[in-house]
Amino acid sequence: MKKKYRYLAVLLSFICLFSGCSFPGSDKDDLQDGLSQYYVNEEGTKLIPDRFNTDKTQTAEQVTAVVENLKNQENGKYKLRLLPENVSIQEYRLENSQVVLDMSSEYGRLEKTREILTRAGLVKSFNQIEGVDSVQILINGQARIGADGDDCR
């Protein structure tokens, strides 16, 4: 009888352990249903995902679709647009598998928490696209330098 309970306990442990796991590429496998856009919650403490549909299938086209979606986001009930009104993407380009975003100078003046959430939302927005492996954020054409003195990518 004890063996039966042990077996059941081990089985339940594995079910709980692996129920939250995803496998490499699984985020990109969901693109048939559209792409995710991100908002910031009213408290400014976390990102809120929301799906949007696009018929674009090529990597560069999807990058453009995400940029256009970010520009057209509206504040909603309980959520704020990812890019505050005074922050804009001045230019963007796809270089190999990296999206390079040139942000307006106001991006560099965001409150620390808001900047981190915005950066995370930008990275998540573009990294979901098949063929995009990284995102580099520039401010007025200059690399953003972190507290450790390194270029933030």
Side-chain angles (χ1 to χ4, degrees):
M1 191 65 146
K2 281 187 174 184
K3 269 188 174 180
K4 193 176 194 180
Y5 286 118
R6 281 188 193 161
Y7 176 75
L8 185 59
V10 169
L11 181 62
L12 286 174
S13 297
F14 277 109
I15 290 171
C16 290
L17 181 65
F18 291 110
S19 65
C21 292
S22 63
F23 297 97
S26 63
D27 290 341
K28 294 181 181 184
D29 294 339
D30 294 336
L31 291 181
Q32 301 89 319
D33 299 335
L35 296 169
S36 289
Q37 61 181 340
Y38 294 89
Y39 290 87
V40 176
N41 69 342
E42 280 185 318
E43 295 81 23
T45 58
K46 67 179 182 177
L47 293 175
I48 301 171
D50 188 25
R51 302 294 280 174
F52 77 96
N53 292 322
T54 180
D55 58 351
K56 307 300 183 195
T57 57
Q58 299 297 314
T59 301
E61 293 174 332
Q62 288 182 339
V63 168
T64 299
V66 169
V67 169
E68 291 303 314
N69 187 67
L70 286 167
K71 289 179 180 180
N72 296 322
Q73 273 186 330
E74 303 268 337
N75 290 332
K77 190 172 186 177
Y78 309 115
K79 62 185 181 183
L80 305 172
R81 45 184 283 148
L82 184 64
L83 298 177
E85 293 289 333
N86 61 340
V87 175
S88 63
I89 298 173
Q90 296 177 330
E91 289 184 40
Y92 65 94
R93 62 187 178 275
L94 179 63
E95 294 179 349
N96 300 319
S97 60
Q98 181 181 57
V99 172
V100 179
L101 301 173
D102 190 3
M103 308 299 291
S104 62
S105 60
E106 291 81 6
Y107 177 85
R109 292 191 281 275
L110 288 174
E111 175 193 325
K112 184 79 171 164
T113 302
R114 180 59 191 241
E115 190 274 330
I116 290 169
L117 286 170
T118 301
R119 182 173 6 128
L122 290 169
V123 171
K124 289 175 71 104
S125 294
F126 291 102
N127 275 349
Q128 70 184 316
I129 299 170
E130 189 70 40
V132 174
D133 296 328
S134 63
V135 177
Q136 180 182 23
I137 298 174
L138 305 175
I139 301 174
N140 285 331
Q142 300 296 314
R144 189 178 169 286
I145 305 299
D148 60 359
D150 288 336
D151 179 9
C152 294
R153 291 182 190 219

